[in-house]
Amino acid sequence: MDYELVSDAEVRGAAAKMQVVDPTELSATTTLRRLEMELQSALSMLSNRHGEIIRCLDLLNSKVNTLASMIPASGKQDLELQSRDVCDCSLSSSGIAFTAREALPLDSRIRLRMVVLPDYFHVTAYGEIVRVTPIDNPDDGFTHVIGVNFLHILDRYREALARRSLQREIEDRRDARQRLEAREAAEKANDSASKVGFGTGPDGAV
């Protein structure tokens, strides 16, 4: 994610300046970045016994990165955005709350460029900072939570974010239900074990 404080005048002209990329129109650099992450994940699963294979794949990956660096204009912009911080956030169709390494002025205007993982969904939006909350005892360099209400975002992307939020809510509820069922099953198993292990014998001894 990348953000920049902007003026009211730029926000008023945001509709003409916004660069929001459709998922079907992602640049070649974005695709290469996704493949690189998948390759790194696969490499980490290989055993140390396959050192030569890993070396060959590393060389191939370096070649791909070299080709990516040759892609002009928009491709380089995507690569720059991909290299930014990956931060915790709460994202909806109406706004976003994200962790930042600095406090930002309340009520100021901000431009946000985001790549929403794991789908590599690109969004540019303009918003107003409505909340700045310090993080107690930060241990990762992120010192504040910044709350932003969107002022300008294309309708189709607002709708896409709404669908994503709904899907995330469904997934969270499913995960919570599975955790509850697992906990209840474990408690039931413990109760059964207690009854079996502490029976009373014929002579009254335990």
Side-chain angles (χ1 to χ4, degrees), residues 87-160:
C87 63
D88 293 331
C89 71
S90 176
L91 181 63
S92 72
S93 61
S94 60
I96 183 174
F98 63 92
T99 54
R101 299 182 184 276
E102 58 184 339
L104 299 177
L106 196 64
D107 300 326
S108 58
R109 303 299 191 256
I110 189 171
R111 183 188 68 185
L112 298 157
R113 295 189 304 156
M114 298 168 281
V115 177
V116 184
L117 302 177
D119 302 321
Y120 286 82
F121 182 68
H122 288 221
V123 177
T124 295
Y126 287 79
E128 177 185 13
I129 297 177
V130 296
R131 179 165 56 90
V132 180
T133 306
I135 298 175
D136 295 333
N137 302 318
D139 57 2
D140 56 2
F142 292 94
T143 59
H144 290 78
V145 176
I146 310 297
V148 177
N149 282 346
F150 292 147
L151 298 175
H152 288 287
I153 182 173
L154 293 184
D155 287 343
R156 59 188 173 126
Y157 290 95
R158 192 185 296 275
E159 292 168 1

Side-chain angles (χ1 to χ4, degrees), residues 18-158:
M18 287 174 63
Q19 299 177 0
V20 186
V21 185
D22 189 274
T24 61
E25 300 169 355
L26 295 181
S27 70
T29 302
T30 300
T31 302
L32 289 172
R33 177 63 175 171
R34 175 178 58 80
L35 292 173
E36 179 184 356
M37 293 181 68
E38 292 178 359
L39 177 58
Q40 291 297 333
S41 177
L43 287 174
S44 66
M45 298 176 65
L46 288 176
S47 168
N48 292 332
R49 292 174 297 179
H50 303 293
E52 289 303 317
I53 295 177
I54 293 177
R55 172 170 169 75
C56 290
L57 290 175
D58 278 339
L59 291 173
L60 179 60
N61 195 34
S62 297
K63 181 178 180 180
V64 170
N65 288 336
T66 301
L67 291 173
S69 67
M70 299 169 62
I71 298 176
S74 61
K76 290 185 178 179
Q77 293 174 4
D78 282 345
L79 186 60
E80 177 186 358
L81 183 57
Q82 298 278 1
S83 66
R84 300 291 184 175
D85 284 333
V86 176
C87 63
D88 293 331
C89 71
S90 176
L91 181 63
S92 72
S93 61
S94 60
I96 183 174
F98 63 92
T99 54
R101 299 182 184 276
E102 58 184 339
L104 299 177
L106 196 64
D107 300 326
S108 58
R109 303 299 191 256
I110 189 171
R111 183 188 68 185
L112 298 157
R113 295 189 304 156
M114 298 168 281
V115 177
V116 184
L117 302 177
D119 302 321
Y120 286 82
F121 182 68
H122 288 221
V123 177
T124 295
Y126 287 79
E128 177 185 13
I129 297 177
V130 296
R131 179 165 56 90
V132 180
T133 306
I135 298 175
D136 295 333
N137 302 318
D139 57 2
D140 56 2
F142 292 94
T143 59
H144 290 78
V145 176
I146 310 297
V148 177
N149 282 346
F150 292 147
L151 298 175
H152 288 287
I153 182 173
L154 293 184
D155 287 343
R156 59 188 173 126
Y157 290 95
R158 192 185 296 275

